[in-house]
Amino acid sequence: MNFDQLFQTQLDQLKDEGNYRIFAELQRKSGEFPRVRNHSDGQDEVTVWCSNDYLGMGQNPKVMEAMIATVKECGTGAGGTRNISGNAHHHKLLEAELADLHGKEDALLFTSGYVSNWASLSTLGSRLPNAVILSDSLNHASMIEGIRHAKCDKVIWEHNNPEDLDRKLAALPANATKIVAFESVYSMDGDIAPIAEILDVCEKHGAMSYIDEVHAVGMYGPRGGGVAEREGLMDRITLIEGTLGKAYGCVGGYITGSHALIDFIRSFASGFIFTTALPPAVAAAATESIKHLKESGWERAMQKRQVARLRARLDAEGIPHEHNPSHIIPVMVKDPVKCRMLSDILMEQFGIYVQPINYPTVPKGTERLRFTPGPLHSDEDIEYLVMALKTLWKQCAIAHAVA
């Protein structure tokens, strides 16, 4: 059997549909973000407009110095799993910082936000008696995979609809252990969950609440604790999950909750037990980033300003984008081939890097360019971007927004 031909057939189908992913080869330059060196064809230097390093903390001098100093002190890798020689003092310091951030008793580190969701949900669903996980219909792939791996009963409820969640919880057997999993900020549409209303429903039915705040930690709340902190709701949530790889500018994922909950996941989650721990230098840098954003509001204030500025300029030029209350600006193209083409032209002719978001990340017919303005994007950057989009919208005959 020709396995390569089997692979190639499906790859060719992806290309024909306009959904084949092409990765740009970029090199971040310390102190110059959002400018990066481009090793692909086209412009030598490009401006990144789709980074999840939302606040530029990957370039923060204090964060970089913490990592460099810890490498000199401890070396590079962790040396093993947390159980086998890899449980560093820096891990414990970071977990204490995270628990404090979310007002919880304890926290647990993972190698990524994907792994923290996958490992935690799969462990809860597989080990709790008569478990049923109720999942928002637009939850991230990591949550879906964790629920699938749990092999417990699952129920999908309508996106951000507490009334539908209420109905579906009421229909469950009395002996069900109910786990409600949802996100705060949804990464593709940028909408925000009605957290208080969802928690009202959870408490009414005695359900555990599991919230993914990966696109919100560092970004919202007076100390960067997320949307739940901003709305004064952290104490009502059973488990808060987050990432160190977005607004905190590092890498890794985590969960926070009660001592018993964290010890339960620590003791039974294969995704934690059998994987090498984060390097101590990463933990030290993340700790410094969290400490900084607990005290500093400048990054969040400037990011909010630039988001509002870009939205206003897009509106003025009739460039269609999803209106939402978050920092994520999806500019709607609604065609996979045109979305890829726009991305390529922006990179090659204008030195603007934004990845096309196509199926299966978003449903077919909702293809988009996803912009994430940050505090390090200047007003001039915004004007240049809008000029480029305005030019391409005319050249490519894409519909403008209706005023």
Side-chain angles (χ1 to χ4, degrees), residues 213-257:
E213 287 251 47
V214 297
H215 290 277
V217 291
M219 303 291 294
Y220 301 91
R223 301 199 308 158
V227 179
E229 185 198 23
R230 183 187 71 182
E231 299 179 6
L233 298 169
M234 291 193 299
D235 62 313
R236 294 176 60 189
I237 301 171
T238 314
L239 185 154
I240 299 175
E241 184 264 354
T243 185
L244 306 170
K246 294 183 170 60
Y248 291 122
C250 296
V251 68
Y254 65 88
I255 60 171
T256 65

